[in-house]
Amino acid sequence: MKNDFIQELKEKIKKGKPLTALAPMADVTDEVFREMIVKYSKPSGPDIFWTEFVSADGLNSVGKKNLMRDLVFNKKESPILAQIFSSKKENILEAIKLVYKLGFNGVDLNMGCPDRSVEKQLSGSAMMKYPKLSREIVEASRKLVDEINKKDKTRHFSFSVKTRLGYNKIEYEKWFPNILDFEPDIFSVHLRTRKELSLVEAHWEISFEVVDFIKKYCKGNDLKTPIIFLNGDVKSPIQVKEKIKLSTCDGIMIGRGAFGTPWFFNEKEFKKREEQNLDSKKGKENILYRLEILKEHTKLFEKKLNNFKSFNLMKKHYKAYVNGFDGAKELRVDLMEAKDYKEVKKIVDNFIKNRLK
Ligand SMILES: Cc1cc2nc3c(=O)[nH]c(=O)nc-3n(C[C@H](O)[C@H](O)[C@H](O)COP(=O)(O)O)c2cc1C
């Protein structure tokens, strides 16, 4: 029988499990961070992973070799979708074939990234300004994914899209049909417009209407309803449940909430690790736990990605790991100067010796 993770997700939804997903985040959710999440959150969650985005144009150019590092497939993360962006249909189709061959469980089209360099290529958020082109791309992608599925008798390969509520203003009723008409298996919405970037709070106040629109539109037009993930500002497993209840979506996609907390998707562990008070035994234990994971993460990054990515990318993680306890600011400042694992270990071990023992 065909291994179909979409059906498995639907079973979980039926049973009332709040689904969680790790959001795609460029230069953050790399193979190393995902490996940390597998170690510290699984089997509780996430129910599905996304890779960081990868340029489909790049994958079809001479620069392909380096980009392939962003498409390392690890079965332990499965189900995992590879996210691609481009506005060139042919490149997208080639990238889909590649992603399938690499073993990913599906492909996700990025139709929401506001980065200028991405938008210049008419990709990411810019696609919202070109609905005709977007429709062509979504339709062709869906068709190719269907062909792949027809041939493959062993596993399901899914088609997914991630987007925002609109470009300059909230106009999902006008924009979403360009995607929903082609029946994505998964549809993820970052609850902001392109113009809002991440500068305002995500629009949870209209989340129920957004989900209601998607469901009614699909039903009314005899279209398959996708699994719906909503996304934006969700910072704890409790909020995951609250937001699903509020919106009636199927799952929540977590981005920044998982920074510095690779155990985010393990609700019990998350709760246990909240207290970070240097004056209490439990608080000290939790800070120690964080710092040991920070070192482990750094060591793994150095081992696997040092030849491909700048060590400075780890600094984003340090800002998140080292936060909210006495002495965190000083420790962070020291870590910003570190150039490799050896220096990070020395700085962290000193802090542990002087403040936690
Ligand atoms: C550093 C960073 C990189 C991101 N890269 C991507 C990306 O590659 N693809 C994408 O669809 N969204 C990307 N996003 C957006 C997130 O997936 C998510 O939609 C956004 O951060 C809101 O969710 P959050 O509040 O849970 O972080 C990125 C966000 C951040 C902060």
Side-chain angles (χ1 to χ4, degrees):
M1 220 178 64
K2 202 159 161 139
N3 181 357
D4 189 347
F5 78 94
I6 292 286
Q7 281 315 322
E8 283 167 23
L9 290 182
K10 285 184 177 164
E11 287 300 316
K12 286 185 182 178
I13 295 166
K14 248 195 225 156
K15 286 183 186 150
K17 178 177 190 302
L19 294 186
T20 52
L22 177 70
M25 287 189 286
D27 286 335
V28 178
T29 50
D30 51 39
E31 56 172 302
V32 167
F33 189 47
R34 297 200 304 266
E35 193 169 328
M36 297 298 290
I37 289 182
V38 167
K39 179 163 175 190
Y40 290 100
S41 276
K42 284 261 182 187
S44 310
D47 298 286
I48 179 163
F49 284 78
W50 260 250
T51 67
E52 20 177 3
F53 69 17
V54 184
S55 159
D57 297 353
L59 288 172
N60 283 284
S61 74
V62 282
K64 176 178 175 173
K65 203 169 155 227
N66 252 1
L67 284 179
M68 289 301 285
R69 196 68 210 191
D70 294 334
L71 287 178
V72 169
F73 173 71
N74 177 353
K75 223 176 167 180
K76 286 188 185 154
E77 293 157 11
S78 195
I80 174 165
L81 307 181
Q83 192 188 62
I84 57 171
F85 69 90
S86 171
S87 56
K88 298 195 177 73
K89 193 168 73 184
E90 294 316 315
N91 286 347
I92 286 183
L93 297 181
E94 285 308 310
I96 291 175
K97 288 181 209 159
L98 173 73
V99 160
Y100 165 69
K101 273 194 202 133
L102 290 170
F104 285 96
N105 303 92
V107 67
D108 179 78
L109 296 187
N110 178 315
M111 294 186 147
C113 176
D115 190 279
R116 272 180 207 285
S117 63
V118 172
E119 283 212 281
K120 260 194 200 157
Q121 306 165 46
L122 305 187
S123 310
S125 278
M127 304 223 67
M128 289 188 261
K129 294 199 282 190
Y130 302 95
K132 193 170 164 270
L133 175 67
S134 298
R135 288 183 74 85
E136 272 173 32
I137 287 176
V138 175
E139 183 175 20
S141 304
R142 172 79 262 178
K143 206 171 143 221
L144 174 60
V145 169
D146 285 343
E147 281 164 18
I148 289 173
N149 277 315
K150 236 185 235 159
K151 281 190 201 143
D152 190 331
K153 302 282 176 253
T154 59
R155 67 184 170 105
H156 174 80
F157 184 70
S158 81
F159 173 59
S160 153
V161 176
K162 177 170 180 272
T163 189
R164 291 184 179 236
L165 293 171
Y167 197 86
N168 282 318
K169 57 180 197 283
I170 294 176
E171 51 185 355
Y172 58 88
E173 290 170 330
K174 204 168 139 202
W175 165 237
F176 287 179
N178 296 306
I179 300 161
L180 298 174
D181 282 350
F182 305 103
E183 305 185 306
D185 301 297
I186 299 177
F187 187 55
S188 308
V189 182
H190 178 181
L191 290 167
R192 292 185 176 94
T193 64
R194 151 68 178 88
K195 194 177 173 192
E196 290 170 337
L197 300 170
S198 283
L199 300 173
V200 302
E201 279 183 23
H203 291 290
W204 286 101
E205 77 284 1
I206 56 162
S207 58
F208 178 83
E209 286 86 336
V210 172
V211 174
D212 195 48
F213 170 78
I214 297 169
K215 289 181 181 169
K216 283 194 178 136
Y217 182 83
C218 291
K219 212 167 169 209
N221 290 285
D222 212 13
L223 296 161
K224 215 168 54 188
T225 308
I227 293 176
I228 306 165
F229 279 97
L230 295 185
N231 164 240
D233 299 338
V234 178
K235 293 285 187 292
S236 71
I238 301 237
Q239 284 181 9
V240 166
K241 289 183 192 157
E242 286 169 0
K243 300 301 190 201
I244 290 181
K245 199 166 166 205
L246 171 74
S247 65
T248 75
C249 70
D250 301 310
I252 302 293
M253 181 181 260
I254 305 293
R256 290 162 300 173
F259 268 35
T261 50
W263 55 92
F264 182 97
F265 302 93
N266 180 341
E267 189 176 350
K268 258 196 196 156
E269 195 67 29
F270 188 92
K271 219 165 160 214
K272 186 172 152 195
R273 300 294 170 193
E274 269 179 317
E275 187 184 333
Q276 294 190 76
N277 181 350
L278 272 178
D279 296 328
S280 80
K281 189 165 167 263
K282 195 173 145 211
K284 268 189 182 178
E285 269 171 25
N286 285 344
I287 299 167
L288 187 62
Y289 182 78
R290 263 175 191 274
L291 296 180
E292 291 298 340
I293 291 177
L294 179 158
K295 283 194 287 176
E296 183 186 353
H297 186 168
T298 309
K299 197 172 175 185
L300 198 61
F301 184 92
E302 192 166 277
K303 184 174 153 206
K304 291 202 160 175
L305 290 178
N306 236 14
N307 292 334
F308 303 93
K309 296 191 182 245
S310 158
F311 186 77
N312 280 336
L313 292 181
M314 279 307 298
K315 312 270 163 95
K316 263 189 210 157
H317 295 284
Y318 298 156
K319 281 187 197 153
Y321 278 119
V322 182
N323 212 322
F325 55 86
D326 261 4
K329 192 170 168 215
E330 294 82 342
L331 177 55
R332 242 180 5 245
V333 169
D334 289 347
L335 285 170
M336 290 306 133
E337 301 297 318
K339 290 182 192 59
D340 55 22
Y341 171 66
K342 208 169 138 196
E343 288 185 16
V344 167
K345 184 176 180 322
K346 195 170 160 200
I347 292 165
V348 171
D349 285 348
N350 258 340
F351 183 88
I352 292 173
K353 196 170 117 201
N354 296 329
R355 306 291 295 265
L356 295 175
K357 294 272 154 99

